[in-house]
Amino acid sequence: MATVTDAKRLVIKIGSALLVDRVTGALRAEWLRALIEDVVGLRARGTDVILVSSGSIALGRRVLNLPQSVLTLEQSQAAAAVGQIRLAGAYDAALAAHGLTAAQVLVTLEDSTDRRRYLNSRATLEQLLRLGAVPIVNENDTVATDEIRYGDNDRLAAQVAVTAGADQLILLSDVDGFYSANPTQDPTARRFDVVAAITPEIEAMAGDAVSGLSKGGMKTKLMAAKTATAGGCVMAITQGDVLHPIRTLEEGAAATWFLAQGDPQQKRKAWIAAMKPKGRVIVDAGAARALAAGSSLLAAGVTEVAGRFGRGDPVEVADEAGRVLGQGLTRYDAADAERIKRLRSDQIEAVLGYPARGPLMHRDDMAF
């Protein structure tokens, strides 16, 4: 069974009910400080950490004196606009106390369903982690309409985990795992330590219980688990309403672990390999050898560009004899790829007018 100590890249989902006091509507500052101390510990041992945090609407509705009843879309967006500033400020202050940088990342459902936006999101998260920042992700409630909303941060967290190539996702919840029935209503309900596969029987056990501040019930958590595990990411549901919830989980707190269906990187490469290519690049012998050794594809190794493709599209890679080596997602459209073929990375800006976006295709975005 997986443990938190195994994680190389970890996504932690924090619900509104954990971050915001149910009675006063104020931020639970002590709980947040304890969580950030857990994050500091994870970072110290080399684990990348991404936080997916609710709370902007819950914080904003208090400031705007909005009712505790269900809000209209416009009221929710107004509350989010006010609350997001306070939420970001709280994370910034808590992380800065430990010398860490907070980065706010706001997304909508469209950012994962559109391939170019998906790649942009992935590249941004990668760069932030590489630079040592801690991304704080939330749905962009100020602009998202019902048609482009996740609607709950459980599913958003799962999509972020898959996008970022995380190997673990932890949902901090108001329950300590997945039960055979609602434990508050059925005293015979049993908690699962491990769920190896999400079967129809498992899905039938999920109830619709929703807390006072959050939207996600157990059904949304199962939906998140299906997304995460299909992408090769292990997921855990555990009690979050304790100080140092991640440390507590490491020390053996009750939880349900949903096992990954394969490796996240292998899953991603299989996804890329299954795409229909929209173009082709021919590479020289040196580039072919470098690709075989696991390197990214640099523009300098490209000798020919064919087809009409945009940035983020799948493009076939072949050697000078015409043998297909594989395919990958390109960081440049066909016109720009044609202009920078055979060029070193330090020559690209002079030709395109903007700095190179790294290799033509990154090795993580290629399948052979």
Side-chain angles (χ1 to χ4, degrees):
M1 186 176 69
T3 64
V4 184
T5 54
D6 298 330
K8 297 180 177 64
R9 178 165 294 176
L10 175 65
V11 174
I12 304 170
K13 182 263 178 176
I14 301 123
S16 296
L18 299 176
L19 198 60
V20 180
D21 187 275
R22 295 172 184 268
V23 178
T24 66
L27 183 79
R28 298 180 64 208
E30 183 182 8
W31 184 89
L32 179 59
R33 283 193 296 269
L35 172 70
I36 295 305
E37 288 172 3
D38 288 353
V39 172
V40 171
L42 290 165
R43 288 283 304 268
R45 64 175 185 238
T47 301
D48 290 335
V49 180
I50 299 171
L51 303 179
V52 175
S53 178
S54 304
S56 61
I57 293 176
L59 288 172
R61 73 192 301 164
R62 171 175 176 262
V63 177
L64 296 175
N65 294 315
L66 290 170
Q68 290 302 309
S69 57
V70 177
L71 301 180
T72 65
L73 175 62
E74 293 77 11
Q75 287 176 323
S76 294
Q77 290 176 326
V82 172
Q84 192 62 45
I85 294 175
R86 286 157 176 77
L87 184 67
Y91 276 109
D92 184 51
L95 287 163
H98 297 276
L100 294 176
T101 300
Q104 178 177 265
V105 181
L106 299 177
V107 298
T108 67
L109 181 61
E110 285 186 338
D111 295 318
S112 60
T113 57
D114 180 273
R115 185 163 62 244
R116 288 181 180 81
R117 293 191 187 187
Y118 168 87
L119 291 172
N120 285 338
S121 298
R122 180 181 175 87
T124 298
L125 290 171
E126 285 286 351
Q127 186 66 22
L128 288 170
L129 293 171
R130 192 176 299 120
L131 293 173
V134 179
I136 314 296
V137 184
N138 194 4
E139 183 150 26
N140 195 351
D141 290 305
T142 59
V143 301
T145 59
D146 288 340
E147 292 79 14
I148 61 170
R149 285 181 56 78
Y150 283 92
D152 67 84
N153 274 2
D154 294 326
R155 286 180 290 178
L156 170 60
Q159 186 58 58
V160 168
V162 172
T163 300
D167 50 343
Q168 285 191 23
L169 165 63
I170 296 175
L171 302 185
L172 296 180
S173 179
D174 53 1
V175 294
D176 60 0
F178 178 77
Y179 282 76
S180 57
N182 188 331
T184 64
Q185 299 174 357
D186 185 350
T188 66
R190 62 185 181 89
R191 180 178 52 79
F192 291 84
D193 291 328
V194 177
V195 174
I198 301 173
T199 63
E201 291 76 19
I202 290 290
E203 291 187 89
M205 295 175 186
D208 291 315
V210 177
S211 66
L213 289 175
S214 64
K215 294 184 178 180
M218 196 54 68
K219 283 189 176 180
T220 69
K221 289 174 174 53
L222 273 189
M223 292 173 69
K226 291 176 75 171
T227 298
T229 57
C233 178
V234 175
M235 192 189 95
I237 300 172
T238 192
Q239 184 80 37
D241 195 15
V242 294
L243 294 180
H244 299 287
I246 304 302
R247 184 191 304 172
T248 303
L249 179 60
E250 289 180 327
E251 293 171 351
T256 298
W257 290 89
F258 295 82
L259 303 186
Q261 308 301 307
D263 175 80
Q265 195 63 10
Q266 291 175 348
K267 288 285 185 178
R268 176 172 170 76
K269 289 182 180 293
W271 170 66
I272 293 171
M275 292 179 177
K276 182 179 179 180
K278 296 189 175 182
R280 172 184 277 206
V281 294
I282 305 298
V283 300
D284 61 27
R289 287 193 296 270
L291 292 173
S295 296
S296 299
L297 175 59
L298 302 177
V302 175
T303 61
E304 295 180 42
V305 176
R308 299 176 62 182
F309 53 85
R311 181 185 178 196
D313 282 340
V315 175
E316 202 169 58
V317 180
D319 64 17
E320 292 177 310
R323 290 186 293 266
V324 176
L325 306 177
Q327 68 182 27
L329 306 181
T330 176
R331 296 188 172 188
Y332 299 86
D333 62 26
D336 283 352
E338 176 66 32
R339 296 172 68 192
I340 65 174
K341 68 182 183 183
R342 299 182 183 276
L343 295 185
R344 300 191 312 270
S345 297
D346 60 2
Q347 299 173 310
I348 290 177
E349 184 173 5
V351 174
L352 297 183
Y354 59 84
R357 297 192 181 106
L360 188 76
M361 296 179 190
H362 192 277
R363 62 186 180 184
D364 290 345
D365 296 331
M366 303 181 75
F368 290 90

